[in-house]
Every structure is written in structure tokens, then in C-alpha cells.
Amino acid sequence: MIYLSRKTIKTGDENEKHTKVKKHKTKKRKTLKVIAIVFIMAISLFVFFIYTAQDTPLIQTLNKYVPLKPNITVVKKQSISDIEDQCYKISYDIIVKYFLNKNAFLPVQEAEEYAAYVIKHAQYYDLDPFIVAAIIGKESTVDFMARSKVAHGLMQINWNVHKDNILKSFGSRVKTLRDIYYPSTNILIGCWIFSDCMNKANNKLSSALSKYYGTKSDGYINTILSDYSEMASLFYRKVSNIIKHTN
């Protein structure tokens, strides 16, 4: 470190100018730091799900999409809200397209409505929206009236197993079995159930999927993880492209 032999004397105007420049630089550094944290958190979430599902062979193919050190130094002018809005739009568009591909008879307006519910409810329960979307794709082929002997709606809620807890926790909006066919309610309850499965599985994705399904099924798990990986990888590439081309 180099020390000056004497202090530099500044006039009042110079001091004021120096203070303003310093504050501007400090504010700019803080903004870039927050943006960097937001981006790193998004990448970390993606890496987290790869890690928690590492007991499936499919996950090995995902590693090529995860950089050792994401480049965030290029983020300069874009505000945090702009980045968040674009991330939401990218997630939303990916899920809408996925739903339309899964169900050729699904109206675009319904696909858009379901995608908004998925992102909203997944965020509330701290879940990856692409996992929730992939569960819907596998469970019901995105048919809100889908039903089996025991399961109902978009996320195929097992009414016999969860009835008491659903009525206890969602009594204000669920009175009868018919109520869980409403798309928003069904996705909300499905996220609630899957969140509980994740907690019981210590955030191990494949184990949580088995709990949600009711038994271990490699075919079920791999189908969901395959769809999830395609959506998550596409999201990562699009977000990385935004960061890369931000001036």
C-alpha cells in the first residue's frame, strides 16, 4: 500500500463534487451487487434441483448446461425489476408452450391461465415452477377434468388420501370434491402436497416425486425429470443470453 506524504487540500466545491461522485459509485456498486445476487440465486436454484435429483442417470446429461462461474460483470444498465420481469416472462412462455405441446386440444387462453397459476402457487410454496408444470403434464396431460378412480384434476389430487387435510387447510375454498377441479385451486393444493413431499424427502427431488405418485416408478420420475430438464435448460439459456447481451 502506498501512503501520501501529505494530505491533498480540496476546496468546498471540490469536496462536494468528490462526495457526489463517491455516492454515485457506491449506489452503482450496490445495484450491481443486488443484480448479481438475483442472478446467482436463479442459477443456484437450478443447480440445487440437479443436485437433489442426482440419483437418476438423466441428471448427468444436465451438467453441461451449468457453468463453473456465471458471468455477471456485463450487467450494467438493466434494473432489477427489468430482469425479474423478463425472467417471469421467459418462465411463463416456456410453460405455456409446454402445456400446448402436451395437449393439442388445449385453448391458448387456458394454457396461459394455467401457466400463471403454476408460477404463482409454485413461488408461494418455494417450488420450481417447471417441476410443477412437468407434474401436470405427466399426471393429467393438462386436462383440468382428468380423473381416475382416486385422483382428480390437473395435478391428480388423491381426494381419499388428502380429503381431511384439504378441508382443514383449504376449507374457505374447498367444500366438496367438485371444488378441487377448479384449475387454480387444484394447482394450489397440488403445490401444497408436493411441498410436503419435498420436506419429507429432505428436498430429494426423485424421492419427493415417488411420494407424490404414491410409489416408486422410474418411468414416472424420468418422464417428469426429462420434461423439467428441457424447460429449465431452455430457461437458463435464455436468461444467460439476456445477461450476455446486456450493455
Side-chain angles (χ1 to χ4, degrees):
M1 184 178 293
I2 300 175
Y3 293 93
L4 297 178
S5 59
R6 58 188 178 86
K7 293 182 179 179
T8 303
I9 300 176
K10 294 184 175 66
T11 65
D13 290 340
E14 288 175 334
N15 275 323
E16 184 178 353
K17 183 178 179 181
H18 176 73
T19 301
K20 288 182 178 180
V21 171
K22 186 176 181 181
K23 286 183 178 179
H24 175 72
K25 289 183 178 180
T26 301
K27 184 177 180 181
K28 185 176 180 181
R29 283 197 297 269
K30 287 182 178 179
T31 301
L32 290 175
K33 183 178 180 181
V34 174
I35 293 174
I37 291 173
V38 171
F39 181 68
I40 291 174
M41 286 177 66
I43 301 301
S44 298
L45 182 62
F46 178 59
V47 175
F48 166 75
F49 278 109
I50 290 177
Y51 174 77
T52 56
Q54 63 183 340
D55 57 343
T56 61
L58 170 67
I59 300 306
Q60 297 174 3
T61 65
L62 301 181
N63 291 332
K64 62 183 179 180
Y65 296 115
V66 184
L68 294 177
K69 185 177 180 181
N71 182 8
I72 58 175
T73 58
V74 295
V75 181
K76 294 180 180 179
K77 296 181 179 179
Q78 212 164 14
S79 69
I80 298 173
S81 60
D82 287 340
I83 292 178
E84 289 178 341
D85 288 345
Q86 290 196 57
C87 287
Y88 176 90
K89 184 66 166 57
I90 291 170
S91 300
Y92 174 81
D93 288 343
I94 289 173
I95 294 173
V96 169
K97 184 176 180 181
Y98 170 74
F99 283 164
L100 292 173
N101 287 338
K102 278 291 182 178
N103 185 344
F105 301 100
L106 182 67
V108 174
Q109 185 176 356
E110 290 186 18
E112 293 173 342
E113 179 184 342
Y114 300 165
Y117 293 148
V118 165
I119 294 174
K120 176 182 177 181
H121 298 324
Q123 183 180 28
Y124 183 81
Y125 285 106
D126 246 353
L127 299 172
D128 188 317
F130 299 134
I131 283 292
V132 176
I135 292 174
I136 292 173
K138 176 60 179 176
E139 288 282 0
S140 66
T141 321
V142 204
D143 178 6
F144 82 100
M145 287 299 293
R147 63 179 298 174
S148 66
K149 292 181 179 179
V150 296
H152 308 268
L154 288 168
M155 294 192 71
Q156 288 293 277
I157 308 300
N158 191 320
W159 179 251
N160 294 335
V161 170
H162 300 291
K163 176 182 177 181
D164 292 340
N165 287 330
I166 289 174
L167 293 176
K168 182 179 179 180
S169 300
F170 300 94
S172 61
R173 64 190 299 169
V174 178
K175 304 296 183 183
T176 67
L177 171 61
R178 182 178 180 179
D179 293 328
I180 70 172
Y181 278 95
Y182 290 103
S184 179
T185 300
N186 192 278
I187 296 172
L188 174 65
I189 294 174
C191 287
W192 170 67
I193 293 172
F194 187 64
S195 176
D196 183 59
C197 292
M198 287 289 286
N199 290 332
K200 290 178 179 177
N202 295 318
N203 291 320
K204 194 76 171 177
L205 186 54
S206 57
S207 297
L209 289 171
S210 293
K211 290 181 181 298
Y212 188 86
Y213 187 59
T215 185
K216 185 176 181 180
S217 169
D218 290 338
Y220 176 85
I221 292 172
N222 287 335
T223 297
I224 291 176
L225 289 180
S226 177
D227 289 351
Y228 160 71
S229 69
E230 289 182 13
M231 288 186 280
S233 298
L234 180 58
F235 172 82
Y236 172 75
R237 292 197 297 272
K238 287 180 175 292
V239 171
S240 296
N241 192 54
I242 290 175
I243 300 298
K244 182 179 179 181
H245 292 89
T246 300
N247 295 320

